[in-house]
Amino acid sequence: MDTKKLQTDIQSLKGSISIPGDKSISHRSVMFGALAEGETYISNFLPGADCLSTISCFRKLGVDIQQEGRNVRVYGKGFKGLQAPAETLDVGNSGTTIRLMMGILAGQPFKTNLVGDASIGKRPMTRVVKPLREMGAEISGRNDGEFTPLSVQGASLKPISYELPVASAQVKSAILLAGLQADGETSVIEPEATRDHTERMIEQFGGTVRRNGKKITVSGNQMLKGTNVHVPGDISSAAFFMAAAAMTPESEVILNNVGLNPTRSGIIEVMKEMGADIHIEDVQSQGEPAGHITIRSSRLKGVTIGGRLIPRLIDEIPIIALLATQAEGKTVIKDAAELKVKETNRIDTVAGELKKLGADIQPTDDGLIIRGQTKLSGSELLSSHGDHRIGMMLAIAALISKGELELSHAEAIDVSYPQFFDHVNQLLN
Ligand code: SPQ
């Protein structure tokens, strides 16, 4: 366990940084690269712990993957070329790895055992297990497959039409990945639109996907072809510096090449509504839209966030909660009960940790209520609780707090942003 002294009470943030590659897209580029025929070259890959877990799982399935920092070459085996692993696949802390892998493994003619860390052991898997069993896979695990360790015995899959009970890109993607191996057409109907990187990537690798409102359909037995993927910067990582610059006086920060996929960019709309000064310059992109974001300090006001906006900013809610402590008036975050089943129960961890700094924040059944503006200060030990997004939110909270602050389990940040503290220091100098 790493305990890290945090920088507190800063004057301003200035400068520009290149945000590391998007975690969701990095995972998928390795997965599709492995399932495609031929070679895939990935640039600006995120070498965070979660994406490295995905690489390690595919190597155990017989896929040759060369990774040097942000450059990755995947020598694809096609859907029929994966090998039965000699060992259990360890997904570490990564929900995306385990849920999408299950969709892939459901169609493979062998049995695979899957484990993860203690946090993965508490995250619900029935949401993926149920549709994959309907398609014909045999899945067993603790509590009838609700939790890891899990094993997946793949089969020849039947296509299904499946209405998702929760808005989840991971469940949608698992079903689509299984659907690509099924005999016929598989559809997923979403309650609200979620991130569509899987759909975009099917097309980028030469496959076909049909979208009709909230219904997404793929046909089975498609052949995917290896390609070049340039991963844009992760808006979920950029969000920490967008918030930091907006909250600290006389700040101006430029974040280069950030992914601006509309299914992920809810944070920009919310911050604009709060009064943030944000300017976006679009850049050319292949597969995924991207741009440079300039953000300056400004006066902020409270907002209400809920409904279909939630899946578009679900991972940014911890940092939005911090931002709300610096906004005038009340911020209400609702319809976000999914936060309870992330790396931690993010409703409880956000409220509990920000209270240590004096924030006026109340957890609710499906979100948070925050009243601002509060000057933050404290001396109690802060904790990431092993959750990267909580760790980064607290490091940004410290920047605007008075007092001497330390963060325990700071190593969790490596899951999605190993360069995070270097970038904080870069913007302070
Ligand atoms: O991979 P993991 O651990 O689930 O990561 C998180 C995160 O904060 O980085 C969630 F805890 O992001 C998910 C996100 O919340 C990544 C993701 C994806 O790549 O498809 C989709 C979202 O999860 P879900 O459950 O809504 O599908």
Side-chain angles (χ1 to χ4, degrees), residues 45-77:
F45 174 79
L46 171 69
D50 270 15
C51 301
L52 296 178
S53 295
T54 292
I55 289 187
S56 136
C57 289
F58 276 98
R59 283 184 177 145
K60 289 184 182 166
L61 292 164
V63 183
D64 180 8
I65 304 175
Q66 321 262 313
Q67 182 244 335
E68 268 179 53
R70 298 182 293 150
N71 299 318
V72 181
R73 263 178 218 285
V74 185
Y75 298 92
K77 293 274 187 187

Side-chain angles (χ1 to χ4, degrees), residues 22-25 27-28 50 93-100 119-120 123-124 127 166-173 194-198 234 236 264 311 313-316 318 338-339 341-344 346 387-389 415-416:
D22 186 278
K23 175 161 78 69
S24 294
I25 299 173
H27 281 302
R28 286 161 171 82
D50 270 15
N93 188 245
S94 177
T96 308
T97 307
I98 192 163
R99 295 201 177 111
L100 273 59
S119 151
I120 279 290
R123 296 181 67 181
R127 50 181 62 197
V166 284
S168 162
Q170 291 175 355
V171 181
K172 168 179 68 177
S173 301
T194 63
R195 64 191 70 190
D196 65 355
H197 307 302
T198 299
D234 197 327
S236 299
R264 296 281 300 282
L313 47 65
I314 186 76
D315 297 338
E316 288 65 77
E338 273 294 296
L339 289 174
V341 293
K342 299 295 180 186
E343 283 82 329
T344 55
R346 288 181 176 161
D387 183 335
H388 54 129
R389 303 217 185 272
V415 154
S416 64

Side-chain angles (χ1 to χ4, degrees), residues 301-347:
K301 60 178 196 300
V303 284
T304 295
I305 306 168
R308 68 175 66 146
L309 195 52
I310 294 296
R312 298 180 54 224
L313 47 65
I314 186 76
D315 297 338
E316 288 65 77
I317 291 177
I319 192 68
I320 292 172
L322 169 64
L323 201 57
T325 68
Q326 302 310 301
E328 272 168 41
K330 184 161 116 176
T331 292
V332 179
I333 301 169
K334 58 185 184 184
D335 306 323
E338 273 294 296
L339 289 174
K340 294 181 185 168
V341 293
K342 299 295 180 186
E343 283 82 329
T344 55
N345 175 335
R346 288 181 176 161
I347 295 182

